[in-house]
Amino acid sequence: DGGITQSPKYLFRKEGQNVTLSCEQNLNHDAMYWYRQDPGQGLRLIYYSQIVNDFQKGDIAEGYSVSREKKESFPLTVTSAQKNPTAFYLCASSATQGAPLQETQYFGPGTRLLVL
Amino acid sequence: AQKVTQAQTEISVVEKEDVTLDCVYETRDTTYYLFWYKQPPSGELVFLIRRNSFDEQNEISGRYSWNFQKSTSSFNFTITASQVVDSAVYFCALSNPWANSKLTFGKGITLSVRP
């Protein structure tokens, strides 16, 4: 089945520790995105990537880093510089065909990050 | 700047009632897309509908219908004969296709459907 997978489902971080969230898609989508969701809030964009080896900061990139070495994968690292990392993290992907870009973003199941 | 407002935060209805979820948006772009997503308790966002700014035709899909009105910058979502499985958080979102399809989300509406 085609889709987006995220792992782990739950992740615990100790103070001062970097942690990496995995996102993989087999939809052959060019673009991938990371969002953060806090309780009672909408989703906020952390980083996005439209092609391999290229990515851009979103609205709340501070304390996060990403890489895009393969089309299928877009891991997110939450660094120790992120002082309030407890949140639900959602990865999404979309095709990027034509202009204006009009492809729908599809989401993975999410990873819940908790600080110990 | 783009903005999406979902003024209703929580709605509770009894099964089989009709319910409308409101969405008001702000944008200076003439070309844009509007979306509705459903987030069940499992957490994954499920895509429901996409509408472009040049298509104001209302759409119906089973028990779901959407009313897009550019004059009032609204894109409202109605569930007819609600069911317990409709209980979820519903997000309205706006994208600017000329800006890397970045999605701007509203804060979501928590819908509870009681048996």
Side-chain angles (χ1 to χ4, degrees):
Chain A
D1 287 351
I4 303 171
T5 57
Q6 291 186 242
S7 61
K9 188 172 182 179
Y10 296 95
L11 185 57
F12 299 92
R13 193 190 93 164
K14 296 179 181 178
E15 292 290 338
Q17 185 181 41
N18 292 353
V19 292
T20 297
L21 285 61
S22 169
C23 177
E24 304 275 336
Q25 55 97 0
N26 61 4
L27 300 169
N28 199 33
H29 284 171
D30 294 307
M32 298 186 74
Y33 309 80
W34 274 105
Y35 292 88
R36 169 179 171 143
Q37 184 181 18
D38 293 285
Q41 302 293 318
L43 279 68
R44 293 180 291 168
L45 182 64
I46 305 172
Y47 268 98
Y48 63 98
S49 167
Q50 293 204 294
I51 56 173
V52 174
N53 293 322
D54 186 50
F55 48 82
Q56 284 78 41
K57 293 181 179 180
D59 298 321
I60 55 166
E62 186 174 352
Y64 300 97
S65 66
V66 294
S67 62
R68 187 84 187 277
E69 297 178 359
K70 298 187 300 182
K71 185 176 183 178
E72 304 79 18
S73 177
F74 191 41
L76 172 74
T77 296
V78 183
T79 74
S80 57
Q82 173 50 244
K83 298 307 179 187
N84 184 22
T86 297
F88 188 51
Y89 291 86
L90 285 153
C91 177
S93 71
S94 68
T96 53
Q97 299 175 0
L101 300 170
Q102 56 183 317
E103 298 300 328
T104 298
Q105 291 183 28
Y106 295 94
F107 287 79
T111 292
R112 196 166 298 278
L113 177 60
L114 300 167
V115 177
L116 296 176
Chain B
Q2 297 188 314
K3 184 178 180 181
V4 175
T5 301
Q6 296 182 263
Q8 305 152 308
T9 54
E10 295 184 18
I11 300 175
S12 182
V13 300
V14 177
E15 205 169 18
K16 297 185 182 177
E17 283 186 28
D18 298 347
V19 58
T20 295
L21 310 180
D22 298 333
C23 174
V24 174
Y25 63 92
E26 297 176 28
T27 181
R28 295 180 179 177
D29 302 309
T30 55
T31 301
Y32 53 89
Y33 288 85
L34 293 161
F35 300 80
W36 275 95
Y37 286 89
K38 173 182 179 180
Q39 186 177 42
S42 61
E44 180 173 352
L45 259 70
V46 177
F47 165 71
L48 296 178
I49 190 171
R50 181 186 79 202
R51 172 68 71 220
N52 75 55
S53 53
F54 298 108
D55 182 3
E56 289 192 69
Q57 190 172 17
N58 292 330
E59 182 158 340
I60 298 175
S61 176
R63 297 184 296 108
Y64 296 170
S65 62
W66 290 269
N67 184 317
F68 176 31
Q69 292 193 340
K70 286 181 74 172
S71 60
T72 56
S73 297
S74 66
F75 186 44
N76 297 336
F77 174 28
T78 297
I79 301 174
T80 302
S82 59
Q83 300 176 2
V84 172
V85 294
D86 296 326
S87 297
V89 181
Y90 290 87
F91 290 96
C92 180
L94 169 68
S95 82
N96 176 354
W98 297 108
N100 302 309
S101 289
K102 173 187 170 182
L103 283 174
T104 299
F105 284 85
K107 293 188 176 182
I109 301 170
T110 300
L111 174 65
S112 298
V113 181
R114 309 186 306 274

